[in-house]
Amino acid sequence: MGRKNNTQVPDFILLGLTDSEEIQLVLFVLFLQIYLVTVLGNAGMILIVRLDLLLHTPMYFFLSHLSFLDLSYSTVIIPKTLENLLSSAKYISYVGCFTQMYFLVFLGAAECFLLSSMAYDRYVAICNPLHYPVVMSTRFCCSLVFGSYLIGFADSFVSVLCISRLHFCDSNVIHHFFCDTPPVLALSCFDTHDIEIMIFVVAGSTLTVSLITISVSYVSILSTILKITSTSGKRKAFSTCASHLLGVTIFYGTTIFTYLKPSRSYSLGKDQVASVFYTIVIPMLNPLIYSLRNKEVKNALIRVMQKGECSEQLK
């Protein structure tokens, strides 16, 4: 069924996570609940930041774009995954597969540099608080966000262009639940070594530059915090970046494990588990990580709800 003799395939088959119908039903319910929480959490974060004037700061400006990226990331993957979990025909068109892959690379690379921008924002806020309003101006923040999207576009364009030039004459069965780069590369009937090196360089450069920016920022932040004499001052300074540091650790840990290795070393079990975590679970966790321990977000939510109640009463 999966073997092809032609030099190109009209569609692919997403093998999914399991063949068991019972487990597929359980996964459908679980993923649907996760997706609903993801949409509610990230869309809610975007709305709160926009509606509450006290959250119109650089940190929450970046956070609203992070929520947008996470919401988009989930929407690119989960609806198709839910459809395949209920369907016996797990097809995805050639164009649909590469469109999905394009947006995944685009959103992933953009999130890397957005997290770097957020780390730099925390560095300026803690290490140079007096210059913070000048350095983190609205224009500069918009430039950082635009640059993140631009780098994401460039990364995805190069990666998907390289892969789309391959011929998939061996098989059209993707051993994954979405069109990810390593399992699609593994289907090519030609040597993919040069393309793998190109993608590795592009992805590796993105991760390396963003990780260096984050690392340097947090080394400087830690150095500044250690110089603070009062315990309460240290605790307050650390609490402003703890949520971001946790989010960065989870995101980069799973991304490096999954992508910075040859596609031939792709492991069906381990890589699928990691993929579920960073494509489905992390977008749900991010709004929880950044809001549950954040009094400003909680207070903003209360203010927005009170404002809504007042508007209803006036009507």
Side-chain angles (χ1 to χ4, degrees), residues 161-218:
L161 180 64
C162 290
I163 299 174
S164 65
R165 296 169 69 88
L166 294 172
H167 291 283
F168 304 99
C169 52
D170 185 33
S171 173
N172 68 334
V173 178
I174 299 175
H175 293 273
H176 214 331
F177 62 96
F178 66 94
C179 290
D180 202 8
T181 304
V184 172
L185 276 174
L187 298 182
S188 176
C189 50
F190 296 136
D191 182 25
T192 61
H193 180 70
D194 292 340
I195 292 178
E196 284 184 44
I197 291 177
M198 174 70 73
I199 294 174
F200 184 86
V201 169
V202 172
S205 300
T206 300
L207 285 172
T208 301
V209 172
S210 58
L211 273 176
I212 289 175
T213 304
I214 292 171
S215 300
V216 171
S217 297
Y218 273 106

Side-chain angles (χ1 to χ4, degrees), residues 43-56 60 64 299-308 311:
M45 181 67 74
I46 295 170
L47 285 174
I48 290 172
V49 172
R50 288 187 63 87
L51 294 175
D52 192 86
L53 294 176
L54 295 180
L55 295 186
H56 289 186
Y60 292 105
S64 65
N299 293 334
L301 178 59
I302 293 171
R303 287 193 297 269
V304 170
M305 292 176 66
Q306 289 175 343
K307 189 183 295 184
S311 299

Side-chain angles (χ1 to χ4, degrees), residues 32-254:
L32 179 60
Q33 291 177 339
I34 290 175
Y35 183 59
L36 293 176
V37 173
T38 300
V39 172
L40 182 63
N42 287 290
M45 181 67 74
I46 295 170
L47 285 174
I48 290 172
V49 172
R50 288 187 63 87
L51 294 175
D52 192 86
L53 294 176
L54 295 180
L55 295 186
H56 289 186
T57 62
M59 182 175 73
Y60 292 105
F61 173 72
F62 292 133
L63 188 56
S64 65
H65 280 275
L66 180 65
S67 293
F68 171 74
L69 290 175
D70 284 336
L71 181 58
S72 302
Y73 208 91
S74 292
T75 303
V76 169
I77 293 177
I78 298 183
K80 184 61 179 177
T81 302
L82 293 175
E83 177 189 336
N84 287 342
L85 285 171
L86 294 180
S87 173
S88 57
K90 304 179 187 300
Y91 288 97
I92 183 171
S93 68
Y94 182 87
V95 174
C97 183
F98 278 88
T99 300
Q100 187 182 63
M101 193 188 307
Y102 174 85
F103 279 105
L104 288 177
V105 178
F106 165 67
L107 295 168
E111 185 159 337
C112 283
F113 280 92
L114 186 63
L115 290 171
S116 301
S117 301
M118 294 172 72
Y120 181 73
D121 171 71
R122 292 300 83 205
Y123 159 74
V124 178
I126 294 174
C127 300
N128 297 292
L130 296 179
H131 297 96
Y132 184 78
V134 177
V135 175
M136 301 305 296
S137 63
T138 302
R139 183 175 181 177
F140 183 64
C141 291
C142 290
S143 298
L144 288 175
V145 171
F146 176 77
S148 299
Y149 287 120
L150 186 63
I151 291 169
F153 169 79
D155 280 6
S156 60
F157 181 79
V158 171
S159 299
V160 175
L161 180 64
C162 290
I163 299 174
S164 65
R165 296 169 69 88
L166 294 172
H167 291 283
F168 304 99
C169 52
D170 185 33
S171 173
N172 68 334
V173 178
I174 299 175
H175 293 273
H176 214 331
F177 62 96
F178 66 94
C179 290
D180 202 8
T181 304
V184 172
L185 276 174
L187 298 182
S188 176
C189 50
F190 296 136
D191 182 25
T192 61
H193 180 70
D194 292 340
I195 292 178
E196 284 184 44
I197 291 177
M198 174 70 73
I199 294 174
F200 184 86
V201 169
V202 172
S205 300
T206 300
L207 285 172
T208 301
V209 172
S210 58
L211 273 176
I212 289 175
T213 304
I214 292 171
S215 300
V216 171
S217 297
Y218 273 106
V219 167
S220 301
I221 288 171
L222 182 61
S223 176
T224 301
I225 291 176
L226 292 176
K227 293 177 183 178
I228 300 175
T229 54
S230 66
T231 305
S232 60
K234 288 182 179 179
R235 188 181 297 112
K236 182 179 180 181
F238 182 75
S239 66
T240 61
C241 55
S243 298
H244 178 256
L245 191 57
L246 177 61
V248 165
T249 302
I250 295 173
F251 177 80
Y252 279 95
T254 53

Side-chain angles (χ1 to χ4, degrees), residues 272-284:
Q272 281 192 338
V273 171
S275 296
V276 168
F277 197 75
Y278 79 80
T279 60
I280 297 177
V281 178
I282 289 181
M284 176 193 69

